[in-house]
Structures are given as C-alpha cells and as structure tokens.
Amino acid sequence: MTQPLWGIDLGGTKIEGAIVPSLDNPQPILRTRIDTEGHKGYEHIIGQIDKLVQTMKQQSGLQPARLGLGTPGVLDPILQTMKNCNSTALNGQPLKKDLEEKLGIPCVLANDANCFALAETHWGVVKQQAPDAKVVFGIIMGTGVGGGIVINGHVWNGKHGIAGEWGHNFLDESGGPCYCGRTGCVETVLSGPGLQRYYKSITGSMLSLKDILAHSLQGNDQAAVKTIDRLNHFFGKAVSVITNMLDPDVIVVGGGVGNIDSIYTAGVESLHKFIFNNRVDVQILKPSLGDSAGVFGAAALVA
C-alpha cells in the first residue's frame, strides 16, 4: 500500500497540515490547522509544527515516513539555513535540520510559490486543462509577488534555491523602492499594495484593490482605469521575461491580483507586444485549488 503524503503549510498566521492518500487521490484523509504564533520566536514555531504533527498522528492513527513543508522563504541549498522569509524569525535558521531532529523524520522544504505550482500541476488546473504540460510556472500576485517552477512534476529550486523568484526581477523604476533593497521590482509594480500606491500617487486617496477594480469597471474613475491598464501592460512585459527565458507550457496565476479578469485578455495582449515570438501559445490560467494549494503542494513534495 502506498504511504500517505504528509504536508505542512507554514504561514505567518497559521500552520495547516494535511494527509493525502497519494498523487492519484487528493481527497485528504485529514486536514487541520493551528495558529503560528510567530511573534513568540523561532523555537516556538518549531514547537507549533511539532504540536500540529502530533495532533495529526493522534487524529489519523497514522505515522508519517516523511514530511513536506511549504515555507514563506527558501532554504539556502549551500548554507542549509532559511532566507528571504517574510516571517523574519526564520531567517538564518537551520529549519530543516531542527525539524528533522524534533520530529525524527526526513523533511522536504520548498517555498509557498513552488508548493502552489506543484499542487496546481498534480491536482489543479494544469491537471484539468493541460495534463501533458512538462514545464509549469506558478505565479502568486497578492500582497507580494512570487513564482515557482515545476518541471516534469518536480519542483526546480536552482543553484541558490531562488529559481522562480520572478517578483524581484527589475520591471520599471516607477514601482519605487522595494523592501529587498532594489528599485522597481516586479513586486513593487504588480502586487496589490503596489497597485494601491500607484492609485494613491494619482489621486491622493488610498483605496482597496477591490474598490479600485470596481471603479475601473464602472468607468467613472479614470485613475482606477489607468491603474488597471497599467497592471495589464506591465503584466505582459513581466511575463514576457519568463516566457522568453523558460518558455513554459503553462503559467498559473494565483493570489488576489490574479483574480482580475483583464490580465487574461488585455494582459495577454500586452504579452504579444513583448514576447520574442510571433504569437503566444503558452496557456495562462487561473488556479482551481484556492487556499488548498499550499498544503497540498507541501504534501506533493514527498511523493
């Protein structure tokens, strides 16, 4: 009998765990979550993950052979410590080593965008609409912008562990300073906060992204229209870099900004202008798994 797949999605506010029967059967045996309580520090986060795993054991009656863990940053493949985590208590820490010592089982780590891409490949929209896809690029455009690469069903992490970190490519100076120390990153232009900042720079008013989108669709707020038009223009320009370099079969767009319908029409038209080809064949799709993608992708890491 195939060993069930255990996954943990480590988020800033919650830690979610799931046990999935196999890659062929994604119906979870168990799914549960607890608070991260990250403000209490790194050792407490380790304790919370252990607490969740013990709860999963008790509730399922199963024992994990390995654990997949989706993280808010990446494990440096050389130093074996975490980096680029917005949950800053994790940065510089040997999370994999410490978890393996605490849990007594091997652990496989990948960042949340890689887990998103992996889940959508095996169980989500890629499986449904492009089952023969060999190369998948997963985008998360929300509070931040990230990316993940799946090749032949496996996450591609890269030499530095940063493969797919599309959000910190340079896009346009108008995005302004980024927390990473550079200026004009994709994240500063295409993230939800980036769009809100741009709207405010025109109007002096801070609106939610939801309201900006609603105003643009009504057509009576030219600043909102301009904000969404700018999003579509730079989406195509940013995605052209990925398409020219990686030439994926499918690009899956998650996160709150990914729910804006015009990026799949006007955004793709913009891609036509920038791609080094006379047409666009890559499928650009909305995800189908919702907030299940993170924890399912973590489980798929150990398949």
Side-chain angles (χ1 to χ4, degrees):
M1 181 177 175
T2 303
Q3 180 75 30
L5 312 176
W6 289 57
I8 297 282
D9 182 21
L10 174 58
T13 58
K14 53 88 179 173
I15 308 172
E16 183 171 9
I19 306 172
V20 179
S22 69
L23 280 183
D24 297 322
N25 181 6
Q27 294 301 316
I29 297 167
L30 175 71
R31 189 173 175 183
T32 187
R33 64 174 62 180
I34 62 173
D35 291 338
T36 308
E37 298 178 350
H39 63 281
K40 296 183 180 179
Y42 174 70
E43 294 296 337
H44 186 77
I45 294 172
I46 293 286
Q48 289 295 90
I49 295 171
D50 179 50
K51 178 181 176 181
L52 181 59
V53 170
Q54 300 310 319
T55 299
M56 293 166 68
K57 288 180 182 179
Q58 293 165 7
Q59 292 182 358
S60 68
L62 299 172
Q63 295 288 327
R66 295 198 299 166
L67 180 71
L69 186 77
T71 64
V74 298
L75 181 72
D76 189 301
I78 306 300
L79 301 177
Q80 288 295 300
T81 53
M82 298 300 295
K83 62 184 179 183
N84 302 341
C85 299
N86 53 20
S87 296
T88 55
L90 300 175
N91 286 324
Q93 300 289 352
L95 181 61
K96 174 179 164 66
K97 173 178 173 290
D98 289 344
L99 275 179
E100 289 181 338
E101 289 178 357
K102 184 76 168 178
L103 301 175
I105 55 173
C107 296
V108 183
L109 276 59
N111 77 19
D112 47 10
N114 280 324
C115 290
F116 162 77
L118 193 61
E120 290 293 343
T121 297
H122 286 295
W123 296 309
V125 69
V126 179
K127 177 82 168 180
Q128 297 154 10
Q129 297 193 35
D132 296 327
K134 300 293 188 293
V135 180
V136 176
F137 188 73
I139 293 171
I140 297 178
M141 295 198 306
T143 303
V145 172
I149 303 169
V150 172
I151 300 175
N152 293 326
H154 298 278
V155 167
W156 181 261
N157 287 308
K159 179 68 173 177
H160 301 92
I162 59 170
E165 284 291 356
W166 170 73
H168 295 281
N169 284 351
F170 174 77
L171 181 54
D172 192 75
E173 291 281 355
S174 65
C178 183
Y179 79 89
C180 73
R182 286 167 282 275
T183 298
C185 291
V186 170
E187 182 167 305
T188 68
V189 179
L190 298 184
S191 67
L195 295 169
Q196 291 175 282
R197 283 193 304 271
Y198 179 75
Y199 180 85
K200 185 179 180 182
S201 75
I202 302 173
T203 64
S205 301
M206 180 63 81
L207 284 187
S208 69
L209 181 58
K210 181 179 179 181
D211 286 341
I212 293 170
L213 179 61
H215 287 196
S216 74
L217 293 173
Q218 290 163 7
N220 56 4
D221 182 342
Q222 288 307 303
V225 172
K226 189 175 180 181
T227 300
I228 300 303
D229 286 348
R230 180 175 179 271
L231 162 67
N232 296 328
H233 168 76
F234 279 118
F235 175 81
K237 189 172 186 178
V239 169
S240 73
V241 176
I242 296 303
T243 309
N244 288 346
M245 290 291 294
L246 190 62
D247 202 10
D249 299 296
V250 178
I251 297 172
V252 187
V253 188
V257 179
N259 291 324
I260 297 176
D261 289 336
S262 62
I263 66 174
Y264 302 93
T265 53
V268 174
E269 289 173 15
S270 174
L271 176 57
H272 277 267
K273 300 174 187 175
F274 295 106
I275 190 178
F276 187 55
N277 201 41
N278 60 4
R279 64 186 189 279
V280 173
D281 293 332
V282 58
Q283 295 186 67
I284 300 179
L285 304 174
K286 289 185 177 182
S288 66
L289 294 175
D291 66 359
S292 299
V295 72
F296 280 19
L301 290 171
V302 298

